[in-house]
Amino acid sequence: MARRNILTKEEPGLYKKCRPVTDFNARLHQLLDDMADTLEPENGVGLAAPQVGVLRRAVIVLETNVPEGEDEYLIELVNPEIIESSGEQYGAEGCLSVPGEYGMVRRPMNVKVRAQDRDGNFFEVEGTGLTARCFCHEIDHLDGVVFTSKCERMLSEEELESGKLEEE
Ligand code: NI
């Protein structure tokens, strides 16, 4: 168990483009394990490597669309790319690097991502709803994009008090 410090929006590294992962080694595995340990107590649904100060293309996303009675699970995406997207959703979005602030962001309703796993094997995964939003949000982080630059408006405190919101 190793939690890492989550960098916040003042950190210049959050606005840099991350380099691809080229070595699928123990160091990458440790990073992904630590990211999971870091995300879990925050009750977040996703985390990108640059949020813990590593400028490499790796993210984790919690798949919350699971059948009743089954556990949510983390998806590790190394060098992810969105290869298909469809539909649209407009909703509140937050970020562990921007604590306490939420804004309305337009995202696709469905996305398909091609990525590598921690051992370098390629795979494809589809997400819908919150999972699609999270794939987009985390992959944006790898290009130095924080949601506040994409959001159409930030939410007021009254709106925050009334709604159920998730942080990514
Ligand atoms: Ni974020």
Side-chain angles (χ1 to χ4, degrees):
M1 173 96 186
R3 292 187 63 188
R4 300 200 186 187
N5 194 27
I6 298 177
L7 304 176
T8 52
K9 59 184 178 180
E10 299 78 20
E11 173 64 38
L14 283 179
Y15 305 94
K16 292 188 174 148
K17 192 172 168 71
C18 298
R19 288 170 295 166
V21 171
T22 52
D23 297 323
F24 296 83
N25 54 16
R27 194 170 169 181
L28 173 68
H29 298 178
Q30 187 67 56
L31 169 66
L32 291 165
D33 290 344
D34 288 356
M35 286 169 64
D37 290 341
T38 303
L39 181 63
E40 201 265 327
E42 302 289 343
N43 292 315
V45 290
L47 192 68
Q51 291 182 275
V52 294
V54 177
L55 297 182
R56 291 285 182 173
R57 303 187 78 82
V59 308
I60 56 172
V61 169
L62 186 67
E63 175 56 277
T64 53
N65 297 319
V66 294
E68 207 180 322
E70 291 187 18
D71 289 337
E72 298 175 344
Y73 57 93
L74 282 177
I75 304 169
E76 297 176 346
L77 301 166
V78 179
N79 300 326
E81 280 182 68
I82 293 172
I83 55 173
E84 282 179 37
S85 63
S86 65
E88 189 181 89
Q89 56 178 318
Y90 181 58
E93 199 164 308
C95 179
L96 293 171
S97 294
V98 191
E101 294 181 46
Y102 298 85
M104 299 298 287
V105 186
R106 212 170 288 281
R107 299 284 192 187
M109 181 55 83
N110 308 288
V111 300
K112 185 190 278 188
V113 176
R114 179 170 159 82
Q116 286 166 277
D117 67 16
R118 59 168 57 203
D119 297 311
N121 303 303
F122 283 93
F123 68 101
E124 291 180 4
V125 60
E126 293 181 53
T128 190
L130 177 62
T131 307
R133 176 178 292 283
C134 197
F135 283 157
C136 296
H137 177 113
E138 303 311 334
I139 292 171
D140 273 353
H141 272 300
L142 304 181
D143 293 318
V145 174
V146 176
F147 85 98
T148 46
S149 69
K150 286 199 160 176
C151 84
E152 299 186 12
R153 64 179 185 86
M154 296 303 287
L155 295 184
S156 67
E157 296 215 355
E158 291 74 23
E159 287 172 300
L160 289 178
E161 282 167 16
S162 66
K164 178 181 174 290
L165 301 161
E166 311 247 12
E167 288 189 284
E168 290 167 13

